[in-house]
Structure formats: structure tokens, C-alpha cells
């Protein structure tokens, strides 16, 4: 079982859209896939029209394997299940800080389903916290959407610094440019600069800024399902293949 985390310490960069489409792409490729939403906003579950279990609170998530597995929902797509988030997930950091071996608790929870799935995709909240450290330690790959702007460049640098300061494996980080607008000089200049500076840390695939992605909330489905031949749909497919090759 491989764990792929979609993470950014900056909000609004296309993290959930990426998680949803990556999970869809993995499942469509034949991998038994679980999309685990760790963000209390619950957007991933919303996109797949599934409601969260109210019984999956802090203790149940991290200590009760039966309630954890009972909270998993099927989706409309073959090979793809969803573990939707509920609002109580906002307290994960406080709960984890009170547990022994708090940095490995997420990995222990996910082991409950290791025989049921080939891939778990984690949709992570935009914070650097105890929960994030759990994600960093449990994931085989951490996919980081980066809008090619100055602030996104800064937050990516902060993330790399955090990994180095905490002796976490930087090679797990795989950035990619998200919401790219080729008509903007700032985007093009930032992509060139970051591509040169972090050559080993960036994937080749770019996700374009596209109304098809914004309309995922209307269709409540991955853009790869509703508009597979669109620029964004094809880009997410390519991104998925690139990530699979990285972790295979």
C-alpha cells in the first residue's frame, strides 16, 4: 500500500481538486484507492456526494479500527472509496498532542486498511502542525501544488526548510505548478526561477487555471470524469502517471 499526501501549507492552491482527481485517476488505472479527507471542511467528500460519519471523532479515528473502517463510504466509481471528514477533525492537533508517540498515530490508523487498498490519497489541511508531521512521516510521496507566485514560492521554501530542520526526508516532496496562466509574465518567470532552484523537487506536469476545475463544485465530480478531454482533465491524468512512476 502506498500513501500519497496532497499537501500545502498555503490555502487556495488547488489541493482538494488535486486530491479528488488523483484519487479518481488512480482508481481508473485499476488501483484499489481510498481518498482520506483530513481537512475538517470536508470538501473531498462533498465532491463525491458522500456524507461523513458523525461517530468518527478523535478517539475513534486514531484508536478504534472498527469505527475507522465503518466510516469509509463507497463512491460512484469502481475501485474508489472515500473517508469523508467531519467538523470534529478540527481538533486532531489538540488530541494528537496529548497522545504518546503522537507523530506516528496516523500511520497506525491507516494500517487498519492496508490489505484493502493499493493506494491511499490524503487530502490535508493547510497547516504545519502535529497532524501535518503525521502526514509527512506516513506518506510515501507528498504532492505539493504551487501557484507560480511570490507567496507560493515562499511557502514552498518554508516547507523545505521545515523538512530539513526536523530531519524529514526532503525527497518525499514533489511540487508541481497549479492554476498556471501562461499569459501572465509573473507565472512564467516564477516557474522558470523555481524550476531552476528546485529542479529535483518539481514534477514536469503543470495544471492550467481552468473553469472546468472550478465547475467541479457544480457537477460534484472530478474534472477527469466530467471533462476528460479538457486541458485540466488531461493534465491531471498526466500528473497521476508521473506520480505513479515516482512511487512504483
Amino acid at each position: 500500500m502506498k500513501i500519497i499526501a496532497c499537501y500545502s501549507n498555503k490555502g487556495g492552491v488547488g489541493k482538494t481538486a488535486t486530491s479528488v482527481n488523483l484519487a479518481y485517476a488512480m482508481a481508473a488505472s485499476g488501483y484499489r484507492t481510498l481518498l482520506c479527507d483530513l481537512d475538517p471542511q470536508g470538501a473531498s467528500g462533498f465532491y463525491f456526494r458522500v456524507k461523513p460519519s458523525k461517530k468518527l471523532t478523535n478517539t475513534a479515528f486514531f484508536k478504534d479500527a472498527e469505527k475507522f473502517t465503518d466510516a469509509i463510504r463507497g463512491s460512484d466509481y469502481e475501485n474508489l472509496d472515500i473517508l469523508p471528514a467531519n467538523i470534529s477533525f478540527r481538533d486532531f492537533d489538540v488530541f494528537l498532542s496529548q497522545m504518546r508517540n503522537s507523530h506516528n498515530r496516523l500511520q497506525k490508523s491507516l494500517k487498519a486498511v492496508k490489505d484493502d487498498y493499493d493506494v491511499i490519497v490524503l487530502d490535508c489541511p493547510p497547516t504545519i502542525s502535529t497532524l501535518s508531521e503525521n502526514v509527512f512521516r506516513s506518506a510515501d510521496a507528498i504532492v505539493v501544488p504551487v501557484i507560480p507566485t511570490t507567496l507560493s514560492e515562499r511557502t514552498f521554501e518554508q516547507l523545505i526548510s521545515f523538512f530539513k530542520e526536523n530531519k524529514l526526508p526532503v525527497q518525499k516532496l514533489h511540487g508541481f505548478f497549479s492554476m498556471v496562466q501562461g499569459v501572465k509574465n509573473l507565472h512564467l518567470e516564477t516557474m522558470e526561477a523555481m524550476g531552476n532552484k528546485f529542479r529535483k523537487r518539481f514534477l514536469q506536469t503543470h495544471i492550467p487555471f481552468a473553469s472546468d476545475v472550478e465547475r467541479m463544485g457544480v457537477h460534484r465530480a472530478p474534472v477527469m470524469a466530467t471533462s476528460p478531454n479538457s486541458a485540466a482533465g488531461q493534465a491531471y491524468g498526466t500528473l497521476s502517471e508521473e506520480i505513479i512512476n515516482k512511487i512504483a
Side-chain angles (χ1 to χ4, degrees), residues 170-186:
V170 176
Q171 62 269 27
K172 284 187 178 183
L173 294 173
H174 301 285
F176 71 94
F177 293 111
S178 172
M179 299 184 187
V180 173
Q181 298 183 63
V183 296
K184 290 187 174 181
N185 289 333
L186 175 63

Side-chain angles (χ1 to χ4, degrees), residues 41-101:
Q41 295 181 68
S44 283
F46 173 82
Y47 280 135
F48 284 104
R49 303 172 185 267
V50 294
K51 293 183 178 179
S53 167
K54 294 180 180 178
K55 296 180 180 178
L56 192 65
T57 55
N58 298 328
T59 304
F61 190 101
F62 291 104
K63 291 186 174 181
D64 191 328
E66 184 174 349
K67 286 186 178 176
F68 182 92
T69 53
D70 283 349
I72 293 173
R73 308 289 189 242
S75 75
D76 294 336
Y77 306 102
E78 190 175 1
N79 294 324
L80 179 57
D81 290 340
I82 316 294
L83 180 61
N86 64 54
I87 194 65
S88 75
F89 286 20
R90 73 187 188 283
D91 298 325
F92 274 2
D93 279 314
V94 175
F95 183 78
L96 285 168
S97 67
Q98 298 168 347
M99 297 181 74
R100 296 178 61 184
N101 300 319

Side-chain angles (χ1 to χ4, degrees), residues 158-197:
Q158 289 174 332
L159 182 59
I160 288 185
S161 296
F162 182 86
F163 266 63
K164 290 180 177 177
E165 290 167 5
N166 290 276
K167 301 186 186 312
L168 293 163
V170 176
Q171 62 269 27
K172 284 187 178 183
L173 294 173
H174 301 285
F176 71 94
F177 293 111
S178 172
M179 299 184 187
V180 173
Q181 298 183 63
V183 296
K184 290 187 174 181
N185 289 333
L186 175 63
H187 280 205
L188 299 177
E189 292 166 3
T190 304
M191 290 167 67
E192 182 178 5
M194 290 190 73
N196 290 331
K197 188 174 183 179

Side-chain angles (χ1 to χ4, degrees), residues 60-227:
F61 190 101
F62 291 104
K63 291 186 174 181
D64 191 328
E66 184 174 349
K67 286 186 178 176
F68 182 92
T69 53
D70 283 349
I72 293 173
R73 308 289 189 242
S75 75
D76 294 336
Y77 306 102
E78 190 175 1
N79 294 324
L80 179 57
D81 290 340
I82 316 294
L83 180 61
N86 64 54
I87 194 65
S88 75
F89 286 20
R90 73 187 188 283
D91 298 325
F92 274 2
D93 279 314
V94 175
F95 183 78
L96 285 168
S97 67
Q98 298 168 347
M99 297 181 74
R100 296 178 61 184
N101 300 319
S102 61
H103 291 152
N104 297 312
R105 299 305 305 190
L106 177 62
Q107 193 168 29
K108 291 182 178 178
S109 296
L110 297 177
K111 280 185 178 178
V113 296
K114 67 181 179 61
D115 293 329
D116 299 321
Y117 298 101
D118 303 310
V119 178
I120 295 180
V121 177
L122 304 175
D123 183 10
C124 307
T127 59
I128 292 185
S129 61
T130 307
L131 176 61
S132 303
E133 290 191 57
N134 271 262
V135 169
F136 300 157
R137 294 178 190 282
S138 63
D140 297 287
I142 301 162
V143 181
V144 186
V146 177
I147 300 175
T149 61
T150 306
L151 280 181
S152 291
E153 180 178 0
R154 179 172 176 267
T155 53
F156 189 74
E157 290 174 344
Q158 289 174 332
L159 182 59
I160 288 185
S161 296
F162 182 86
F163 266 63
K164 290 180 177 177
E165 290 167 5
N166 290 276
K167 301 186 186 312
L168 293 163
V170 176
Q171 62 269 27
K172 284 187 178 183
L173 294 173
H174 301 285
F176 71 94
F177 293 111
S178 172
M179 299 184 187
V180 173
Q181 298 183 63
V183 296
K184 290 187 174 181
N185 289 333
L186 175 63
H187 280 205
L188 299 177
E189 292 166 3
T190 304
M191 290 167 67
E192 182 178 5
M194 290 190 73
N196 290 331
K197 188 174 183 179
F198 304 108
R199 187 176 302 278
K200 292 183 178 179
R201 300 275 57 82
F202 263 79
L203 301 170
Q204 296 299 311
T205 307
H206 306 161
I207 304 299
F209 182 86
S211 59
D212 289 325
V213 177
E214 293 181 314
R215 294 187 69 80
M216 281 174 51
V218 177
H219 299 304
R220 297 185 69 176
V223 67
M224 291 186 68
T226 57
S227 303

